[in-house]
Amino acid sequence: MNVQVTHAHLPQPVLPSCPVQKLLRGQKAIVTGASSGIGRAIALALGNAGADVVINYVAGEDKAEEACDQIRHGGSRAIALRADVADEAQVQAMFRQTIERFGTVDILVNNAGLQQDANFEDLSLAQWNKVIGVNLTGQFLCAREAVREFKRRGVQAEISCSAGKILCISSVHEVIPWAGHVNYAASKGGVMLMMKSIAQEVAPYRIRVNSICPGAIRTPINMQAWDTPAAYDELLKLIPYKRIGEPEEIGRAAVWLCSDYADYVHGVSLFVDGGMTLYPGFETGG
Ligand code: BGC
């Protein structure tokens, strides 16, 4: 494909001087899968940093509303919007509703994701399609709508140096193979090159695209890996830093990556994993 780039050369940006607590003041964010876990923590962190936030959810309206209340309590606006990210029409409706309510979208956090684990020979096509549908196709559909809106609006210098930010929540399993989780690892490996390819294509429009790759974070998705002392000890063998991560730590990384403090950070997978990707098996041998 021959991609036509018709942008004029944009000036060097004026880098932010705003207080670090309100790094995202005036920005509008959509966080997918934000009623629990990492998505919820990211949504609260963005709200705390001054962004107005759409809490996307597919189930658990009460939890989504509760997260909205917390954000409003901190002084930002928040709305809960139900949409299945794997469904094109629902994603498009969510973006339309966001733009109606908030005027635009400055930040998309592509967080919605799930696991459906099985030994490979037992992995059903339904489990494969479900995980690829939400974790990879869902990120594609949301990112495409975001890029359309960012290009339509362009840079508003008083809001941000960039025309928009996409933050994909990937996983250490975009590089660590994972037996028994082939569908999940394939989806995250796909997110890696999707993110980088989008980043390459939209950079001239001053749209920033990055990923966070969490390691083991204390959320419901991996509860069996940390909720008993024996399981936790096993887990620590995989983590050089010798502790599990907390969802708020991903929230903080997300605020920074979505802010103008990270304006020159583009196309990057930021591992927030306590060193899980450092081949911990080699700590004592090799
Ligand atoms: C998975 C978790 C797992 C972690 C580290 C994440 O992407 O969702 O279940 O604990 O990777 O293996």
Side-chain angles (χ1 to χ4, degrees), residues 37-206:
I38 288 174
R40 179 179 190 277
I42 293 173
L44 298 188
L46 299 188
N48 212 18
D52 294 333
V53 185
V54 168
I55 303 274
N56 159 258
Y57 67 99
V58 72
E61 187 180 358
D62 45 339
K63 286 199 291 171
E65 288 298 345
E66 189 272 335
C68 286
D69 285 343
Q70 280 223 32
I71 291 172
R72 290 181 198 123
H73 196 70
S76 293
R77 293 164 71 198
I79 48 176
L81 292 181
R82 193 193 167 283
D84 176 355
V85 295
D87 183 302
E88 184 176 33
Q90 292 185 35
V91 167
Q92 290 177 336
M94 174 172 74
F95 273 79
R96 264 198 313 277
Q97 288 163 348
T98 302
I99 293 163
E100 267 165 38
R101 299 282 292 275
F102 285 168
T104 189
V105 182
D106 303 283
I107 296 167
L108 166 69
V109 182
N110 253 338
N111 169 77
L114 48 81
Q115 287 179 217
Q116 294 207 347
D117 310 326
N119 292 328
F120 183 60
E121 71 272 22
D122 300 323
L123 186 62
S124 69
L125 180 60
Q127 288 172 314
W128 173 268
N129 283 339
K130 181 76 185 170
V131 170
I132 298 292
V134 173
N135 296 12
L136 183 56
T137 309
Q139 292 213 13
F140 152 63
L141 290 171
C142 292
R144 192 184 59 176
E145 293 311 307
V147 164
R148 288 173 177 168
E149 172 60 10
F150 298 162
K151 284 178 78 167
R152 183 198 65 76
R153 173 181 32 73
V155 177
Q156 286 177 301
E158 66 287 7
I159 299 291
S160 173
C161 304
S162 74
K165 278 80 57 170
I166 296 172
L167 179 58
C168 297
I169 305 304
S170 182
S171 166
V172 289
H173 298 294
E174 75 169 40
V175 293
I176 302 179
W178 204 12
H181 309 259
V182 169
N183 48 357
Y184 184 83
S187 73
K188 297 302 186 178
V191 166
M192 174 175 66
L193 276 182
M194 181 186 72
M195 179 279 286
K196 289 177 193 274
S197 302
I198 300 171
Q200 197 185 54
E201 185 170 332
V202 302
Y205 302 98
R206 215 149 268 184

